[in-house]
Short mmCIF file of all heavy atoms in Angstrom, two decimals:
data_model
loop_
_atom_site.label_atom_id
_atom_site.label_comp_id
_atom_site.label_asym_id
_atom_site.label_seq_id
_atom_site.Cartn_x
_atom_site.Cartn_y
_atom_site.Cartn_z
N MET A 111 -12.19 5.84 3.05
CA MET A 111 -12.44 4.48 3.46
C MET A 111 -12.77 4.51 4.94
O MET A 111 -12.22 5.30 5.70
CB MET A 111 -11.21 3.65 3.10
CG MET A 111 -10.85 2.53 3.99
SD MET A 111 -9.57 1.48 3.28
CE MET A 111 -10.59 0.37 2.40
N LYS A 112 -13.67 3.60 5.34
CA LYS A 112 -14.07 3.54 6.75
C LYS A 112 -13.24 2.50 7.49
O LYS A 112 -12.88 1.47 6.92
CB LYS A 112 -15.55 3.19 6.86
CG LYS A 112 -16.46 4.30 6.39
CD LYS A 112 -17.89 3.94 6.61
CE LYS A 112 -18.79 5.04 6.08
NZ LYS A 112 -20.20 4.69 6.20
N ARG A 113 -13.01 2.79 8.75
CA ARG A 113 -12.27 1.84 9.60
C ARG A 113 -12.99 0.50 9.60
O ARG A 113 -14.21 0.43 9.68
CB ARG A 113 -12.19 2.41 11.02
CG ARG A 113 -11.33 1.57 11.92
CD ARG A 113 -11.20 2.23 13.26
NE ARG A 113 -10.32 1.41 14.07
CZ ARG A 113 -10.01 1.68 15.30
NH1 ARG A 113 -10.46 2.77 15.87
NH2 ARG A 113 -9.22 0.90 15.96
N GLY A 114 -12.22 -0.57 9.46
CA GLY A 114 -12.77 -1.91 9.44
C GLY A 114 -12.96 -2.48 8.05
O GLY A 114 -13.11 -3.68 7.88
N GLU A 115 -12.94 -1.61 7.02
CA GLU A 115 -13.09 -2.10 5.65
C GLU A 115 -11.80 -2.76 5.17
O GLU A 115 -10.70 -2.45 5.66
CB GLU A 115 -13.45 -0.94 4.70
CG GLU A 115 -14.83 -0.40 4.93
CD GLU A 115 -15.19 0.70 3.91
OE1 GLU A 115 -14.31 1.47 3.52
OE2 GLU A 115 -16.36 0.75 3.55
N ARG A 116 -11.94 -3.66 4.19
CA ARG A 116 -10.77 -4.31 3.59
C ARG A 116 -10.41 -3.60 2.30
O ARG A 116 -11.28 -3.13 1.58
CB ARG A 116 -11.06 -5.79 3.30
CG ARG A 116 -11.35 -6.54 4.55
CD ARG A 116 -10.60 -7.78 4.87
NE ARG A 116 -9.77 -8.42 3.93
CZ ARG A 116 -8.47 -8.66 4.14
NH1 ARG A 116 -7.90 -8.24 5.24
NH2 ARG A 116 -7.77 -9.29 3.27
N LEU A 117 -9.12 -3.53 2.05
CA LEU A 117 -8.58 -2.89 0.85
C LEU A 117 -7.72 -3.91 0.11
O LEU A 117 -6.91 -4.60 0.72
CB LEU A 117 -7.72 -1.69 1.24
CG LEU A 117 -6.92 -1.03 0.12
CD1 LEU A 117 -7.87 -0.29 -0.83
CD2 LEU A 117 -5.88 -0.10 0.67
N ALA A 118 -7.90 -3.98 -1.20
CA ALA A 118 -7.01 -4.75 -2.06
C ALA A 118 -6.46 -3.78 -3.09
O ALA A 118 -7.23 -3.23 -3.91
CB ALA A 118 -7.77 -5.88 -2.73
N LEU A 119 -5.18 -3.55 -3.06
CA LEU A 119 -4.52 -2.59 -3.95
C LEU A 119 -3.62 -3.37 -4.89
O LEU A 119 -2.71 -4.07 -4.43
CB LEU A 119 -3.71 -1.60 -3.11
CG LEU A 119 -2.97 -0.52 -3.86
CD1 LEU A 119 -3.96 0.43 -4.53
CD2 LEU A 119 -2.07 0.27 -2.92
N THR A 120 -3.86 -3.25 -6.20
CA THR A 120 -3.05 -3.95 -7.20
C THR A 120 -2.20 -2.95 -7.93
O THR A 120 -2.71 -1.94 -8.44
CB THR A 120 -3.95 -4.71 -8.18
OG1 THR A 120 -4.75 -5.65 -7.44
CG2 THR A 120 -3.11 -5.49 -9.20
N VAL A 121 -0.89 -3.22 -7.99
CA VAL A 121 0.08 -2.32 -8.60
C VAL A 121 0.97 -3.10 -9.53
O VAL A 121 1.39 -4.21 -9.21
CB VAL A 121 0.95 -1.63 -7.52
CG1 VAL A 121 2.03 -0.77 -8.13
CG2 VAL A 121 0.09 -0.82 -6.57
N THR A 122 1.30 -2.53 -10.69
CA THR A 122 2.29 -3.09 -11.60
C THR A 122 3.37 -2.02 -11.81
O THR A 122 3.07 -0.89 -12.10
CB THR A 122 1.66 -3.43 -12.97
OG1 THR A 122 0.58 -4.34 -12.75
CG2 THR A 122 2.67 -4.08 -13.89
N SER A 123 4.63 -2.45 -11.61
CA SER A 123 5.76 -1.53 -11.71
C SER A 123 6.59 -1.85 -12.94
O SER A 123 6.62 -2.99 -13.40
CB SER A 123 6.62 -1.66 -10.44
OG SER A 123 7.75 -0.84 -10.54
N ASP A 124 7.34 -0.86 -13.44
CA ASP A 124 8.22 -1.11 -14.57
C ASP A 124 9.63 -1.50 -14.10
O ASP A 124 10.50 -1.76 -14.92
CB ASP A 124 8.29 0.10 -15.49
CG ASP A 124 8.80 1.35 -14.81
OD1 ASP A 124 8.96 1.35 -13.56
OD2 ASP A 124 9.03 2.35 -15.51
N ARG A 125 9.84 -1.57 -12.79
CA ARG A 125 11.13 -2.01 -12.24
C ARG A 125 10.90 -2.77 -10.93
O ARG A 125 9.87 -2.59 -10.28
CB ARG A 125 12.06 -0.84 -11.98
CG ARG A 125 11.53 0.13 -10.95
CD ARG A 125 12.47 1.28 -10.69
NE ARG A 125 12.50 2.12 -11.87
CZ ARG A 125 13.15 3.24 -11.98
NH1 ARG A 125 13.83 3.69 -10.96
NH2 ARG A 125 13.13 3.95 -13.07
N ASP A 126 11.84 -3.63 -10.57
CA ASP A 126 11.72 -4.35 -9.30
C ASP A 126 11.75 -3.36 -8.15
O ASP A 126 12.56 -2.43 -8.14
CB ASP A 126 12.88 -5.33 -9.13
CG ASP A 126 12.81 -6.52 -10.10
OD1 ASP A 126 11.70 -6.82 -10.58
OD2 ASP A 126 13.85 -7.16 -10.33
N ASP A 127 10.86 -3.56 -7.18
CA ASP A 127 10.78 -2.65 -6.05
C ASP A 127 10.00 -3.36 -4.95
O ASP A 127 9.73 -4.54 -5.04
CB ASP A 127 10.06 -1.35 -6.48
CG ASP A 127 10.56 -0.15 -5.69
OD1 ASP A 127 10.84 -0.28 -4.48
OD2 ASP A 127 10.63 0.95 -6.28
N THR A 128 9.61 -2.61 -3.91
CA THR A 128 8.78 -3.11 -2.83
C THR A 128 7.65 -2.12 -2.62
O THR A 128 7.88 -0.91 -2.56
CB THR A 128 9.59 -3.23 -1.53
OG1 THR A 128 10.70 -4.09 -1.75
CG2 THR A 128 8.75 -3.80 -0.39
N LEU A 129 6.44 -2.64 -2.51
CA LEU A 129 5.27 -1.82 -2.22
C LEU A 129 5.11 -1.75 -0.72
O LEU A 129 5.21 -2.77 -0.03
CB LEU A 129 4.04 -2.48 -2.88
CG LEU A 129 2.71 -1.75 -2.76
CD1 LEU A 129 2.79 -0.38 -3.47
CD2 LEU A 129 1.60 -2.60 -3.37
N HIS A 130 4.87 -0.53 -0.17
CA HIS A 130 4.82 -0.35 1.28
C HIS A 130 3.67 0.58 1.65
O HIS A 130 3.48 1.62 1.03
CB HIS A 130 6.14 0.24 1.75
CG HIS A 130 6.19 0.52 3.21
ND1 HIS A 130 6.37 -0.48 4.14
CD2 HIS A 130 6.08 1.67 3.90
CE1 HIS A 130 6.37 0.07 5.36
NE2 HIS A 130 6.17 1.37 5.23
N VAL A 131 2.93 0.19 2.70
CA VAL A 131 1.89 1.06 3.26
C VAL A 131 2.36 1.55 4.63
O VAL A 131 2.50 0.77 5.56
CB VAL A 131 0.54 0.32 3.42
CG1 VAL A 131 -0.52 1.25 3.97
CG2 VAL A 131 0.09 -0.30 2.10
N HIS A 132 2.67 2.84 4.71
CA HIS A 132 3.13 3.43 5.96
C HIS A 132 2.02 3.38 7.01
O HIS A 132 0.85 3.46 6.69
CB HIS A 132 3.58 4.88 5.76
CG HIS A 132 4.88 4.99 5.10
ND1 HIS A 132 6.07 4.97 5.79
CD2 HIS A 132 5.22 5.10 3.80
CE1 HIS A 132 7.07 5.06 4.94
NE2 HIS A 132 6.57 5.14 3.71
N GLY A 133 2.42 3.23 8.26
CA GLY A 133 1.46 3.19 9.35
C GLY A 133 0.87 1.82 9.59
O GLY A 133 0.43 1.49 10.69
N TYR A 134 0.85 1.01 8.57
CA TYR A 134 0.38 -0.36 8.68
C TYR A 134 1.56 -1.33 8.62
O TYR A 134 1.42 -2.50 8.92
CB TYR A 134 -0.62 -0.70 7.57
CG TYR A 134 -1.98 -0.12 7.85
CD1 TYR A 134 -2.29 1.17 7.46
CD2 TYR A 134 -2.95 -0.86 8.50
CE1 TYR A 134 -3.53 1.72 7.71
CE2 TYR A 134 -4.20 -0.32 8.76
CZ TYR A 134 -4.48 0.97 8.36
OH TYR A 134 -5.72 1.50 8.63
N ASP A 135 2.70 -0.83 8.17
CA ASP A 135 3.91 -1.66 8.01
C ASP A 135 3.64 -2.92 7.21
O ASP A 135 4.11 -3.99 7.55
CB ASP A 135 4.54 -1.96 9.36
CG ASP A 135 5.08 -0.71 10.02
OD1 ASP A 135 5.56 0.18 9.29
OD2 ASP A 135 5.00 -0.60 11.25
N LYS A 136 2.86 -2.75 6.15
CA LYS A 136 2.57 -3.86 5.23
C LYS A 136 3.45 -3.64 4.00
O LYS A 136 3.55 -2.55 3.49
CB LYS A 136 1.10 -3.85 4.80
CG LYS A 136 0.11 -4.13 5.90
CD LYS A 136 -0.03 -5.60 6.19
CE LYS A 136 -0.81 -6.30 5.13
NZ LYS A 136 -1.06 -7.68 5.37
N GLU A 137 4.12 -4.70 3.58
CA GLU A 137 4.98 -4.67 2.40
C GLU A 137 4.69 -5.86 1.52
O GLU A 137 4.23 -6.90 1.98
CB GLU A 137 6.46 -4.70 2.79
CG GLU A 137 6.95 -3.48 3.51
CD GLU A 137 8.45 -3.52 3.73
OE1 GLU A 137 9.08 -4.56 3.47
OE2 GLU A 137 8.98 -2.50 4.15
N ALA A 138 4.99 -5.69 0.23
CA ALA A 138 4.89 -6.77 -0.74
C ALA A 138 5.94 -6.58 -1.80
O ALA A 138 6.20 -5.44 -2.22
CB ALA A 138 3.50 -6.81 -1.37
N PRO A 139 6.61 -7.68 -2.23
CA PRO A 139 7.56 -7.54 -3.31
C PRO A 139 6.84 -7.09 -4.59
O PRO A 139 5.68 -7.44 -4.83
CB PRO A 139 8.09 -8.97 -3.50
CG PRO A 139 7.45 -9.82 -2.47
CD PRO A 139 6.44 -9.02 -1.75
N LEU A 140 7.51 -6.25 -5.34
CA LEU A 140 6.92 -5.68 -6.55
C LEU A 140 7.85 -5.99 -7.74
O LEU A 140 8.68 -5.18 -8.12
CB LEU A 140 6.77 -4.16 -6.36
CG LEU A 140 5.91 -3.35 -7.27
CD1 LEU A 140 4.49 -3.90 -7.34
CD2 LEU A 140 5.86 -1.91 -6.80
N PRO A 141 7.72 -7.19 -8.32
CA PRO A 141 8.57 -7.55 -9.44
C PRO A 141 8.17 -6.80 -10.73
O PRO A 141 6.97 -6.58 -10.97
CB PRO A 141 8.36 -9.06 -9.61
CG PRO A 141 7.04 -9.33 -8.97
CD PRO A 141 6.82 -8.28 -7.95
N ALA A 142 9.16 -6.41 -11.50
CA ALA A 142 8.89 -5.65 -12.72
C ALA A 142 7.96 -6.39 -13.66
O ALA A 142 8.12 -7.57 -13.92
CB ALA A 142 10.21 -5.36 -13.42
N GLY A 143 6.94 -5.65 -14.13
CA GLY A 143 6.04 -6.16 -15.17
C GLY A 143 4.98 -7.13 -14.70
O GLY A 143 4.19 -7.62 -15.51
N ARG A 144 4.95 -7.45 -13.39
CA ARG A 144 3.94 -8.39 -12.87
C ARG A 144 3.08 -7.70 -11.81
O ARG A 144 3.59 -7.07 -10.93
CB ARG A 144 4.62 -9.62 -12.30
CG ARG A 144 5.32 -10.43 -13.37
CD ARG A 144 5.77 -11.81 -12.91
NE ARG A 144 5.57 -12.14 -11.53
CZ ARG A 144 6.43 -12.80 -10.80
NH1 ARG A 144 7.57 -13.19 -11.32
NH2 ARG A 144 6.17 -13.09 -9.53
N PRO A 145 1.75 -7.83 -11.93
CA PRO A 145 0.89 -7.21 -10.93
C PRO A 145 1.08 -7.82 -9.54
O PRO A 145 1.26 -9.03 -9.42
CB PRO A 145 -0.52 -7.51 -11.43
CG PRO A 145 -0.40 -8.12 -12.76
CD PRO A 145 1.02 -8.53 -12.96
N THR A 146 1.08 -6.97 -8.54
CA THR A 146 1.17 -7.37 -7.14
C THR A 146 -0.05 -6.84 -6.42
O THR A 146 -0.39 -5.66 -6.59
CB THR A 146 2.44 -6.81 -6.49
OG1 THR A 146 3.58 -7.40 -7.11
CG2 THR A 146 2.49 -7.10 -5.00
N THR A 147 -0.72 -7.66 -5.63
CA THR A 147 -1.88 -7.22 -4.85
C THR A 147 -1.54 -7.29 -3.37
O THR A 147 -1.12 -8.33 -2.88
CB THR A 147 -3.11 -8.08 -5.16
OG1 THR A 147 -3.40 -7.98 -6.56
CG2 THR A 147 -4.32 -7.61 -4.37
N LEU A 148 -1.71 -6.16 -2.71
CA LEU A 148 -1.49 -6.06 -1.28
C LEU A 148 -2.88 -5.85 -0.64
O LEU A 148 -3.62 -4.98 -1.06
CB LEU A 148 -0.58 -4.89 -0.97
CG LEU A 148 -0.15 -4.75 0.48
CD1 LEU A 148 1.32 -4.32 0.52
CD2 LEU A 148 -0.98 -3.74 1.21
N THR A 149 -3.21 -6.68 0.35
CA THR A 149 -4.51 -6.54 1.00
C THR A 149 -4.29 -6.21 2.48
O THR A 149 -3.30 -6.63 3.07
CB THR A 149 -5.34 -7.84 0.89
OG1 THR A 149 -4.61 -8.91 1.46
CG2 THR A 149 -5.67 -8.15 -0.56
N LEU A 150 -5.23 -5.44 3.02
CA LEU A 150 -5.18 -5.13 4.44
C LEU A 150 -6.57 -4.75 4.93
O LEU A 150 -7.44 -4.39 4.15
CB LEU A 150 -4.17 -3.99 4.73
CG LEU A 150 -4.42 -2.62 4.11
CD1 LEU A 150 -5.29 -1.76 5.02
CD2 LEU A 150 -3.11 -1.91 3.92
N THR A 151 -6.74 -4.84 6.24
CA THR A 151 -7.94 -4.36 6.89
C THR A 151 -7.60 -3.00 7.49
O THR A 151 -6.62 -2.88 8.23
CB THR A 151 -8.41 -5.32 7.98
OG1 THR A 151 -8.72 -6.59 7.38
CG2 THR A 151 -9.65 -4.79 8.69
N ALA A 152 -8.38 -1.99 7.17
CA ALA A 152 -8.12 -0.64 7.64
C ALA A 152 -8.55 -0.53 9.09
O ALA A 152 -9.64 -0.07 9.42
CB ALA A 152 -8.88 0.37 6.77
N ASP A 153 -7.66 -0.93 10.00
CA ASP A 153 -8.01 -0.93 11.44
C ASP A 153 -7.43 0.26 12.20
O ASP A 153 -7.55 0.36 13.39
CB ASP A 153 -7.57 -2.24 12.09
CG ASP A 153 -6.08 -2.51 11.96
OD1 ASP A 153 -5.36 -1.70 11.36
OD2 ASP A 153 -5.64 -3.56 12.45
N ARG A 154 -6.81 1.19 11.47
CA ARG A 154 -6.26 2.42 12.07
C ARG A 154 -6.80 3.60 11.30
O ARG A 154 -6.87 3.57 10.06
CB ARG A 154 -4.75 2.42 11.99
CG ARG A 154 -4.09 1.35 12.79
CD ARG A 154 -2.60 1.40 12.67
NE ARG A 154 -2.05 0.22 13.31
CZ ARG A 154 -0.88 -0.25 13.05
NH1 ARG A 154 -0.10 0.34 12.17
NH2 ARG A 154 -0.45 -1.34 13.66
N THR A 155 -7.13 4.66 11.99
CA THR A 155 -7.60 5.87 11.32
C THR A 155 -6.43 6.82 11.05
O THR A 155 -5.42 6.78 11.75
CB THR A 155 -8.67 6.60 12.15
OG1 THR A 155 -8.13 6.92 13.43
CG2 THR A 155 -9.92 5.75 12.31
N GLY A 156 -6.57 7.62 10.00
CA GLY A 156 -5.55 8.59 9.64
C GLY A 156 -5.30 8.62 8.17
O GLY A 156 -6.07 8.07 7.37
N LEU A 157 -4.21 9.27 7.78
CA LEU A 157 -3.77 9.40 6.39
C LEU A 157 -2.47 8.65 6.23
O LEU A 157 -1.50 8.94 6.96
CB LEU A 157 -3.62 10.88 6.03
CG LEU A 157 -3.31 11.19 4.57
CD1 LEU A 157 -4.46 10.76 3.67
CD2 LEU A 157 -3.03 12.68 4.42
N PHE A 158 -2.42 7.68 5.34
CA PHE A 158 -1.27 6.80 5.18
C PHE A 158 -0.77 6.80 3.74
O PHE A 158 -1.55 6.60 2.80
CB PHE A 158 -1.66 5.37 5.59
CG PHE A 158 -2.26 5.31 6.96
CD1 PHE A 158 -3.63 5.32 7.13
CD2 PHE A 158 -1.45 5.27 8.09
CE1 PHE A 158 -4.20 5.28 8.40
CE2 PHE A 158 -2.00 5.23 9.37
CZ PHE A 158 -3.38 5.24 9.52
N ALA A 159 0.54 6.97 3.57
CA ALA A 159 1.13 6.95 2.23
C ALA A 159 1.36 5.51 1.79
O ALA A 159 1.81 4.66 2.57
CB ALA A 159 2.47 7.69 2.25
N VAL A 160 1.04 5.26 0.53
CA VAL A 160 1.35 3.98 -0.12
C VAL A 160 2.43 4.32 -1.15
O VAL A 160 2.21 5.13 -2.04
CB VAL A 160 0.11 3.36 -0.80
CG1 VAL A 160 0.48 2.06 -1.48
CG2 VAL A 160 -1.02 3.17 0.20
N GLU A 161 3.61 3.69 -1.01
CA GLU A 161 4.72 4.07 -1.87
C GLU A 161 5.57 2.87 -2.26
O GLU A 161 5.41 1.78 -1.72
CB GLU A 161 5.60 5.10 -1.16
CG GLU A 161 6.39 4.55 0.00
CD GLU A 161 7.37 5.55 0.60
OE1 GLU A 161 7.28 6.75 0.28
OE2 GLU A 161 8.21 5.13 1.39
N THR A 162 6.47 3.14 -3.20
CA THR A 162 7.48 2.16 -3.56
C THR A 162 8.74 2.51 -2.77
O THR A 162 9.05 3.70 -2.57
CB THR A 162 7.78 2.17 -5.06
OG1 THR A 162 8.16 3.50 -5.45
CG2 THR A 162 6.56 1.72 -5.86
N HIS A 163 9.46 1.51 -2.30
CA HIS A 163 10.64 1.76 -1.45
C HIS A 163 11.84 2.30 -2.21
O HIS A 163 12.36 3.35 -1.87
CB HIS A 163 11.00 0.49 -0.70
CG HIS A 163 10.48 0.47 0.70
ND1 HIS A 163 11.10 -0.17 1.72
CD2 HIS A 163 9.37 1.02 1.24
CE1 HIS A 163 10.41 -0.02 2.82
NE2 HIS A 163 9.33 0.70 2.55
N ALA A 164 12.29 1.56 -3.20
CA ALA A 164 13.53 1.94 -3.88
C ALA A 164 13.41 3.30 -4.58
O ALA A 164 14.32 4.12 -4.48
CB ALA A 164 13.94 0.87 -4.88
N SER A 165 12.31 3.52 -5.26
CA SER A 165 12.15 4.77 -6.00
C SER A 165 11.54 5.89 -5.15
O SER A 165 11.60 7.07 -5.53
CB SER A 165 11.30 4.56 -7.25
OG SER A 165 10.00 4.17 -6.87
N GLY A 166 10.93 5.54 -4.01
CA GLY A 166 10.31 6.55 -3.14
C GLY A 166 9.10 7.22 -3.75
O GLY A 166 8.72 8.32 -3.34
N LEU A 167 8.48 6.58 -4.71
CA LEU A 167 7.32 7.13 -5.40
C LEU A 167 6.07 6.95 -4.56
O LEU A 167 5.71 5.79 -4.22
CB LEU A 167 7.16 6.46 -6.77
CG LEU A 167 5.97 6.88 -7.61
CD1 LEU A 167 6.14 8.34 -8.03
CD2 LEU A 167 5.86 5.97 -8.83
N VAL A 168 5.40 8.03 -4.20
CA VAL A 168 4.12 7.93 -3.49
C VAL A 168 3.03 7.68 -4.52
O VAL A 168 2.80 8.49 -5.40
CB VAL A 168 3.83 9.21 -2.67
CG1 VAL A 168 2.46 9.13 -2.03
CG2 VAL A 168 4.88 9.44 -1.61
N LEU A 169 2.37 6.53 -4.37
CA LEU A 169 1.36 6.13 -5.34
C LEU A 169 -0.03 6.68 -4.99
O LEU A 169 -0.79 7.07 -5.87
CB LEU A 169 1.29 4.60 -5.44
CG LEU A 169 2.58 3.91 -5.79
CD1 LEU A 169 2.42 2.41 -5.68
CD2 LEU A 169 3.02 4.29 -7.20
N VAL A 170 -0.33 6.67 -3.69
CA VAL A 170 -1.65 7.12 -3.25
C VAL A 170 -1.58 7.40 -1.75
O VAL A 170 -0.72 6.90 -1.06
CB VAL A 170 -2.72 6.03 -3.57
CG1 VAL A 170 -2.52 4.79 -2.74
CG2 VAL A 170 -4.14 6.55 -3.39
N GLN A 171 -2.48 8.27 -1.30
CA GLN A 171 -2.64 8.53 0.13
C GLN A 171 -3.94 7.82 0.54
O GLN A 171 -4.99 8.06 -0.04
CB GLN A 171 -2.79 10.02 0.41
CG GLN A 171 -1.52 10.81 0.10
CD GLN A 171 -0.51 10.70 1.22
OE1 GLN A 171 -0.84 10.53 2.36
NE2 GLN A 171 0.74 10.81 0.85
N LEU A 172 -3.85 6.95 1.52
CA LEU A 172 -4.98 6.19 2.01
C LEU A 172 -5.57 6.91 3.22
O LEU A 172 -4.91 7.07 4.24
CB LEU A 172 -4.55 4.78 2.39
CG LEU A 172 -5.56 3.88 3.07
CD1 LEU A 172 -6.74 3.62 2.16
CD2 LEU A 172 -4.91 2.57 3.49
N ALA A 173 -6.81 7.40 3.09
CA ALA A 173 -7.50 8.08 4.19
C ALA A 173 -8.49 7.12 4.83
O ALA A 173 -9.40 6.61 4.16
CB ALA A 173 -8.21 9.31 3.68
N VAL A 174 -8.30 6.87 6.12
CA VAL A 174 -9.18 5.96 6.87
C VAL A 174 -9.85 6.79 7.97
O VAL A 174 -9.16 7.42 8.78
CB VAL A 174 -8.40 4.78 7.48
CG1 VAL A 174 -9.35 3.85 8.23
CG2 VAL A 174 -7.62 4.02 6.42
N ARG A 175 -11.17 6.73 8.01
CA ARG A 175 -11.88 7.49 9.08
C ARG A 175 -12.79 6.60 9.87
O ARG A 175 -13.09 5.52 9.54
CB ARG A 175 -12.65 8.67 8.50
CG ARG A 175 -13.40 8.35 7.24
CD ARG A 175 -14.01 9.62 6.61
NE ARG A 175 -14.55 9.18 5.36
CZ ARG A 175 -15.82 8.86 5.17
NH1 ARG A 175 -16.68 8.98 6.13
NH2 ARG A 175 -16.24 8.43 4.01
#
């Protein structure tokens, strides 16, 4: 992804949790069984983990250049 682009990430979890993008400090509640969409503008370059807080599951690595 290029710096300045917008990202909309939709996640559905099987348990209550929190969706978190490291480096951007963006969070969204992740209720079980319901889709959650987190949006952000990629204004920082680097590699950023997108994970769930309670389970510590890394969902994706976001690469911004």
Side-chain angles (χ1 to χ4, degrees):
M111 146 170 272
K112 291 183 182 177
R113 187 175 182 180
E115 290 183 325
R116 298 233 348 122
L117 171 72
L119 181 65
T120 301
V121 176
T122 304
S123 177
D124 61 351
R125 64 179 68 176
D126 290 338
D127 211 323
T128 302
L129 183 63
H130 178 77
V131 181
H132 284 273
Y134 283 86
D135 294 325
K136 294 280 285 184
E137 292 186 351
L140 196 55
R144 294 193 354 220
T146 295
T147 301
L148 186 140
T149 59
L150 63 88
T151 299
D153 58 0
R154 297 179 187 158
T155 58
L157 185 63
F158 306 95
V160 179
E161 71 174 12
T162 56
H163 262 211
S165 63
L167 179 66
V168 176
L169 304 173
V170 67
Q171 294 280 330
L172 173 63
V174 181
R175 43 188 173 96

